[in-house]
Amino acid sequence: MKLQHVSLWLLGAVLILCLMHTRGLRRCLISTDVHHIEESFQEIKRAIQAKDTFQNVTILSTSETLQSIKPLDACCVTKNLLAFYVDRVFKDHQELNPQILRKISSIANSFLYMQKTLRRCQEQRRCHCRQEATNATRIVHDNYDQLEVRAAAVKSLGELDVFLAWIDKNHQETSAA
Amino acid sequence: MVLTEIWTSLIMWFFYALIPCLLTGGVAILPAPQNLSVRSTNMKHLLMWSPVIMPGETVYYSVEYQGEYESLYTSHIWIPSSWCSLTEGPECDVTDDITATVPYSLRVRATLGSQSSAWSTLTHPFNRNSTILTPPGMEVTKDGFHLVIELEDLGPQFEFRVAYWRREPGAKEHVKTVSSGGIPLYLVTMEPGAAYCVKAQTFVKAIGRRSAFSQAECVEVQGEVLPLALALFAFVGFMLIFVAVPLSVWKMGQLLRYSCCPVVVIPDTLKVTNSPQKLISCRKEEVDACAMTAVLSEELFRTWT
């Protein structure tokens, strides 16, 4: 009888912890309006993708990498990919066209803001990095390194719409702030 | 000795000659704009500065900006403002440039012909989350018994929260979220004789901040009062009903009586039979003759009975 009570209590405690854990991840939200960033990108998408000469290669490896990410790993992968874009892609891309430069600046600064929001989540321990998330990030970096820097940067910029759609799907707000 | 003196004076004259060149050549004589500041209200950001006055000349200004990303990773890159490359007024609407909620550095320089001043940079970088949010303008109207409001259109970044309640003690406050302004919005169907109050606030998702609520505006709906014409028609109608109906009932009764009930009995004297007494036609002139005739008839009748 006592053993039954103890095991039931343990099960309840585990369930509550799991619930809080996943709830916390879902709530690790980016309050930025991702649609606004998507709109900015739509205006330069054609120009950027036209510069991509390696059509058969992908850096974000959509079907293998992004789509297979579990909700538990979403926060960590988002954080890592934001850092990938901010620390590598935007810096490696040299843009001369002022209109395109303006839009890339807008996206880069919005990413910086999203990183700050996620950092708050991380401080509250709601953005834990498991092995799967780290592996997925490494695949993206490896894909990037296999190409020449400028070509890799242009290709990664061209795949921004895929990345933004993935963020939108994983971090939808359930209620107004 | 003399040679050295000549040499020294030559060098001195050379440098004296150079001084005007140094003064006018590389150094700009156009002063840089001063007192840069940003005034931001409801996500509209305006960079302002003190104008550079050159008598008789029109001075133009150029604005450049740099987001936090650029200042950290590519600090040499400044982006020209969307609307203010060679603008005349001492202000610039940088709303379309400040597109992320991070600190932005802004700088301005004056241009006169081929001359340009030095760049003057904003002292403290501007972050759009410091914008002043004011309560939204609101128009409250009645459409019959419907309570309708129209909120100020503040652009796509603004959402609204509208609260409305019946003005009575203990009334519950209802809240509605509106995604954009500028269009009429139906709130509730009001009950007659009650007063309803409405207030609204804005919410900007990009910076996660709300404005204060606006002043509550109240409207009242009168109890049911028919328009005068309708009331008059109703009165006339009622009168017709209350008078015409009994009258027609009575008339119907009369008709029925005449049609159903027996005929009135005619007296004997008026009966026309085969009697020896002939019908006397009495004309006015023959009244006496008639009277005589009548008397004679009576005597005859009396002797006979």
Side-chain angles (χ1 to χ4, degrees), chain A residues 51-77:
Chain A
K51 293 185 197 177
D52 182 12
T53 45
F54 297 95
Q55 296 288 331
N56 297 333
V57 184
T58 168
I59 292 182
L60 290 178
S61 303
T62 322
S63 55
E64 292 139 37
T65 317
L66 279 186
Q67 300 301 346
S68 61
I69 302 293
K70 294 187 182 61
L72 213 61
D73 300 317
C75 182
C76 174
V77 171

mmCIF file of all heavy atoms in Angstrom, chain A residues 51-77:
data_model
loop_
_atom_site.group_PDB
_atom_site.id
_atom_site.type_symbol
_atom_site.label_atom_id
_atom_site.label_comp_id
_atom_site.label_asym_id
_atom_site.label_seq_id
_atom_site.Cartn_x
_atom_site.Cartn_y
_atom_site.Cartn_z
ATOM 1 N N LYS A 51 22.180 35.190 -57.158
ATOM 2 C CA LYS A 51 23.648 35.159 -57.065
ATOM 3 C C LYS A 51 24.158 33.784 -56.647
ATOM 4 O O LYS A 51 25.356 33.508 -56.690
ATOM 5 C CB LYS A 51 24.129 36.168 -56.012
ATOM 6 C CG LYS A 51 23.887 37.617 -56.373
ATOM 7 C CD LYS A 51 24.504 38.529 -55.319
ATOM 8 C CE LYS A 51 23.956 39.930 -55.404
ATOM 9 N NZ LYS A 51 24.483 40.799 -54.349
ATOM 10 N N ASP A 52 23.248 32.890 -56.225
ATOM 11 C CA ASP A 52 23.640 31.560 -55.762
ATOM 12 C C ASP A 52 23.908 30.672 -56.963
ATOM 13 O O ASP A 52 23.010 30.358 -57.745
ATOM 14 C CB ASP A 52 22.523 30.984 -54.888
ATOM 15 C CG ASP A 52 22.885 29.616 -54.323
ATOM 16 O OD1 ASP A 52 24.068 29.234 -54.431
ATOM 17 O OD2 ASP A 52 21.992 28.956 -53.776
ATOM 18 N N THR A 53 25.167 30.231 -57.107
ATOM 19 C CA THR A 53 25.540 29.455 -58.290
ATOM 20 C C THR A 53 25.542 27.938 -58.032
ATOM 21 O O THR A 53 25.637 27.159 -58.963
ATOM 22 C CB THR A 53 26.929 29.886 -58.783
ATOM 23 O OG1 THR A 53 27.805 29.995 -57.662
ATOM 24 C CG2 THR A 53 26.866 31.223 -59.500
ATOM 25 N N PHE A 54 25.466 27.529 -56.788
ATOM 26 C CA PHE A 54 25.502 26.091 -56.462
ATOM 27 C C PHE A 54 24.099 25.621 -56.090
ATOM 28 O O PHE A 54 23.752 25.514 -54.915
ATOM 29 C CB PHE A 54 26.466 25.835 -55.298
ATOM 30 C CG PHE A 54 27.882 26.183 -55.614
ATOM 31 C CD1 PHE A 54 28.383 27.436 -55.271
ATOM 32 C CD2 PHE A 54 28.705 25.281 -56.259
ATOM 33 C CE1 PHE A 54 29.699 27.781 -55.565
ATOM 34 C CE2 PHE A 54 30.021 25.629 -56.556
ATOM 35 C CZ PHE A 54 30.521 26.872 -56.211
ATOM 36 N N GLN A 55 23.282 25.352 -57.092
ATOM 37 C CA GLN A 55 21.866 25.060 -56.846
ATOM 38 C C GLN A 55 21.642 23.698 -56.196
ATOM 39 O O GLN A 55 20.641 23.497 -55.522
ATOM 40 C CB GLN A 55 21.077 25.136 -58.165
ATOM 41 C CG GLN A 55 21.064 26.528 -58.785
ATOM 42 C CD GLN A 55 20.195 27.496 -58.015
ATOM 43 O OE1 GLN A 55 19.213 27.085 -57.388
ATOM 44 N NE2 GLN A 55 20.548 28.761 -58.028
ATOM 45 N N ASN A 56 22.536 22.746 -56.399
ATOM 46 C CA ASN A 56 22.301 21.383 -55.919
ATOM 47 C C ASN A 56 22.713 21.165 -54.467
ATOM 48 O O ASN A 56 22.525 20.076 -53.930
ATOM 49 C CB ASN A 56 23.049 20.372 -56.796
ATOM 50 C CG ASN A 56 22.548 20.400 -58.217
ATOM 51 O OD1 ASN A 56 21.384 20.752 -58.463
ATOM 52 N ND2 ASN A 56 23.409 20.047 -59.147
ATOM 53 N N VAL A 57 23.263 22.199 -53.850
ATOM 54 C CA VAL A 57 23.760 22.041 -52.481
ATOM 55 C C VAL A 57 22.894 22.877 -51.532
ATOM 56 O O VAL A 57 22.395 23.934 -51.905
ATOM 57 C CB VAL A 57 25.232 22.543 -52.389
ATOM 58 C CG1 VAL A 57 25.795 22.285 -51.000
ATOM 59 C CG2 VAL A 57 26.079 21.845 -53.430
ATOM 60 N N THR A 58 22.746 22.361 -50.297
ATOM 61 C CA THR A 58 22.043 23.166 -49.300
ATOM 62 C C THR A 58 22.850 23.202 -48.001
ATOM 63 O O THR A 58 23.508 22.231 -47.649
ATOM 64 C CB THR A 58 20.629 22.616 -49.033
ATOM 65 O OG1 THR A 58 20.101 23.260 -47.873
ATOM 66 C CG2 THR A 58 20.641 21.127 -48.771
ATOM 67 N N ILE A 59 22.779 24.325 -47.323
ATOM 68 C CA ILE A 59 23.572 24.465 -46.097
ATOM 69 C C ILE A 59 22.728 24.120 -44.873
ATOM 70 O O ILE A 59 23.177 23.452 -43.947
ATOM 71 C CB ILE A 59 24.160 25.893 -45.986
ATOM 72 C CG1 ILE A 59 25.199 26.039 -47.088
ATOM 73 C CG2 ILE A 59 24.747 26.170 -44.613
ATOM 74 C CD1 ILE A 59 25.916 27.351 -47.129
ATOM 75 N N LEU A 60 21.479 24.553 -44.873
ATOM 76 C CA LEU A 60 20.625 24.250 -43.719
ATOM 77 C C LEU A 60 20.098 22.823 -43.750
ATOM 78 O O LEU A 60 19.536 22.339 -42.784
ATOM 79 C CB LEU A 60 19.439 25.236 -43.657
ATOM 80 C CG LEU A 60 19.780 26.668 -43.290
ATOM 81 C CD1 LEU A 60 18.534 27.544 -43.304
ATOM 82 C CD2 LEU A 60 20.427 26.737 -41.916
ATOM 83 N N SER A 61 20.307 22.123 -44.920
ATOM 84 C CA SER A 61 19.891 20.716 -45.054
ATOM 85 C C SER A 61 18.484 20.511 -44.520
ATOM 86 O O SER A 61 18.239 19.723 -43.617
ATOM 87 C CB SER A 61 20.822 19.779 -44.265
ATOM 88 O OG SER A 61 22.139 19.917 -44.660
ATOM 89 N N THR A 62 17.582 21.214 -45.104
ATOM 90 C CA THR A 62 16.229 21.314 -44.566
ATOM 91 C C THR A 62 15.614 19.989 -44.115
ATOM 92 O O THR A 62 15.200 19.841 -42.969
ATOM 93 C CB THR A 62 15.293 21.953 -45.608
ATOM 94 O OG1 THR A 62 15.996 22.966 -46.292
ATOM 95 C CG2 THR A 62 14.074 22.528 -44.960
ATOM 96 N N SER A 63 15.565 19.020 -45.039
ATOM 97 C CA SER A 63 14.836 17.799 -44.707
ATOM 98 C C SER A 63 15.568 16.989 -43.640
ATOM 99 O O SER A 63 14.937 16.350 -42.801
ATOM 100 C CB SER A 63 14.626 16.955 -45.958
ATOM 101 O OG SER A 63 15.893 16.724 -46.539
ATOM 102 N N GLU A 64 16.913 17.031 -43.667
ATOM 103 C CA GLU A 64 17.639 16.199 -42.694
ATOM 104 C C GLU A 64 17.820 16.928 -41.361
ATOM 105 O O GLU A 64 17.724 16.313 -40.304
ATOM 106 C CB GLU A 64 19.039 15.850 -43.248
ATOM 107 C CG GLU A 64 19.011 14.910 -44.454
ATOM 108 C CD GLU A 64 20.034 15.322 -45.509
ATOM 109 O OE1 GLU A 64 21.136 15.776 -45.104
ATOM 110 O OE2 GLU A 64 19.744 15.192 -46.700
ATOM 111 N N THR A 65 18.084 18.187 -41.443
ATOM 112 C CA THR A 65 18.446 18.903 -40.222
ATOM 113 C C THR A 65 17.241 19.589 -39.567
ATOM 114 O O THR A 65 16.764 19.160 -38.529
ATOM 115 C CB THR A 65 19.552 19.935 -40.508
ATOM 116 O OG1 THR A 65 20.514 19.345 -41.353
ATOM 117 C CG2 THR A 65 20.200 20.434 -39.256
ATOM 118 N N LEU A 66 16.746 20.625 -40.204
ATOM 119 C CA LEU A 66 15.717 21.458 -39.562
ATOM 120 C C LEU A 66 14.432 20.709 -39.252
ATOM 121 O O LEU A 66 13.892 20.792 -38.147
ATOM 122 C CB LEU A 66 15.402 22.672 -40.443
ATOM 123 C CG LEU A 66 16.363 23.856 -40.373
ATOM 124 C CD1 LEU A 66 15.827 25.017 -41.180
ATOM 125 C CD2 LEU A 66 16.612 24.292 -38.948
ATOM 126 N N GLN A 67 13.914 19.964 -40.257
ATOM 127 C CA GLN A 67 12.606 19.328 -40.065
ATOM 128 C C GLN A 67 12.661 18.237 -39.006
ATOM 129 O O GLN A 67 11.651 17.892 -38.406
ATOM 130 C CB GLN A 67 12.073 18.740 -41.390
ATOM 131 C CG GLN A 67 11.875 19.758 -42.492
ATOM 132 C CD GLN A 67 10.900 20.864 -42.127
ATOM 133 O OE1 GLN A 67 10.164 20.774 -41.156
ATOM 134 N NE2 GLN A 67 10.912 21.930 -42.897
ATOM 135 N N SER A 68 13.847 17.655 -38.784
ATOM 136 C CA SER A 68 13.933 16.553 -37.829
ATOM 137 C C SER A 68 14.200 17.045 -36.402
ATOM 138 O O SER A 68 14.369 16.228 -35.490
ATOM 139 C CB SER A 68 15.037 15.584 -38.270
ATOM 140 O OG SER A 68 16.267 16.278 -38.275
ATOM 141 N N ILE A 69 14.273 18.323 -36.197
ATOM 142 C CA ILE A 69 14.538 18.862 -34.846
ATOM 143 C C ILE A 69 13.289 18.698 -33.982
ATOM 144 O O ILE A 69 12.195 19.101 -34.363
ATOM 145 C CB ILE A 69 14.908 20.361 -34.907
ATOM 146 C CG1 ILE A 69 16.133 20.601 -35.793
ATOM 147 C CG2 ILE A 69 15.133 20.943 -33.520
ATOM 148 C CD1 ILE A 69 17.416 20.025 -35.251
ATOM 149 N N LYS A 70 13.474 18.107 -32.796
ATOM 150 C CA LYS A 70 12.351 17.933 -31.887
ATOM 151 C C LYS A 70 12.068 19.250 -31.161
ATOM 152 O O LYS A 70 12.968 20.062 -30.973
ATOM 153 C CB LYS A 70 12.679 16.853 -30.856
ATOM 154 C CG LYS A 70 12.841 15.462 -31.466
ATOM 155 C CD LYS A 70 13.001 14.399 -30.386
ATOM 156 C CE LYS A 70 13.216 13.036 -30.997
ATOM 157 N NZ LYS A 70 14.421 12.956 -31.831
ATOM 158 N N PRO A 71 10.811 19.464 -30.709
ATOM 159 C CA PRO A 71 10.477 20.711 -29.993
ATOM 160 C C PRO A 71 11.372 20.978 -28.791
ATOM 161 O O PRO A 71 11.665 22.131 -28.456
ATOM 162 C CB PRO A 71 9.023 20.483 -29.544
ATOM 163 C CG PRO A 71 8.478 19.503 -30.508
ATOM 164 C CD PRO A 71 9.613 18.623 -30.922
ATOM 165 N N LEU A 72 11.850 19.889 -28.183
ATOM 166 C CA LEU A 72 12.730 20.027 -27.020
ATOM 167 C C LEU A 72 14.039 20.728 -27.374
ATOM 168 O O LEU A 72 14.645 21.422 -26.545
ATOM 169 C CB LEU A 72 13.054 18.611 -26.525
ATOM 170 C CG LEU A 72 13.252 18.401 -25.033
ATOM 171 C CD1 LEU A 72 11.999 18.758 -24.277
ATOM 172 C CD2 LEU A 72 13.612 16.949 -24.754
ATOM 173 N N ASP A 73 14.490 20.523 -28.630
ATOM 174 C CA ASP A 73 15.767 21.089 -29.076
ATOM 175 C C ASP A 73 15.600 22.411 -29.819
ATOM 176 O O ASP A 73 16.589 23.026 -30.214
ATOM 177 C CB ASP A 73 16.489 20.103 -30.004
ATOM 178 C CG ASP A 73 16.781 18.779 -29.319
ATOM 179 O OD1 ASP A 73 17.217 18.830 -28.144
ATOM 180 O OD2 ASP A 73 16.569 17.727 -29.939
ATOM 181 N N ALA A 74 14.360 22.833 -30.021
ATOM 182 C CA ALA A 74 14.105 24.000 -30.874
ATOM 183 C C ALA A 74 14.826 25.246 -30.375
ATOM 184 O O ALA A 74 15.437 25.973 -31.150
ATOM 185 C CB ALA A 74 12.601 24.270 -30.990
ATOM 186 N N CYS A 75 14.737 25.496 -29.066
ATOM 187 C CA CYS A 75 15.348 26.723 -28.515
ATOM 188 C C CYS A 75 16.856 26.730 -28.747
ATOM 189 O O CYS A 75 17.411 27.725 -29.215
ATOM 190 C CB CYS A 75 15.030 26.827 -27.026
ATOM 191 S SG CYS A 75 15.696 28.317 -26.264
ATOM 192 N N CYS A 76 17.526 25.598 -28.444
ATOM 193 C CA CYS A 76 18.982 25.526 -28.607
ATOM 194 C C CYS A 76 19.378 25.694 -30.061
ATOM 195 O O CYS A 76 20.326 26.432 -30.370
ATOM 196 C CB CYS A 76 19.504 24.187 -28.060
ATOM 197 S SG CYS A 76 21.252 23.927 -28.357
ATOM 198 N N VAL A 77 18.672 25.000 -30.972
ATOM 199 C CA VAL A 77 19.006 25.085 -32.394
ATOM 200 C C VAL A 77 18.778 26.506 -32.912
ATOM 201 O O VAL A 77 19.594 27.042 -33.666
ATOM 202 C CB VAL A 77 18.188 24.054 -33.216
ATOM 203 C CG1 VAL A 77 18.358 24.278 -34.696
ATOM 204 C CG2 VAL A 77 18.596 22.635 -32.845
#
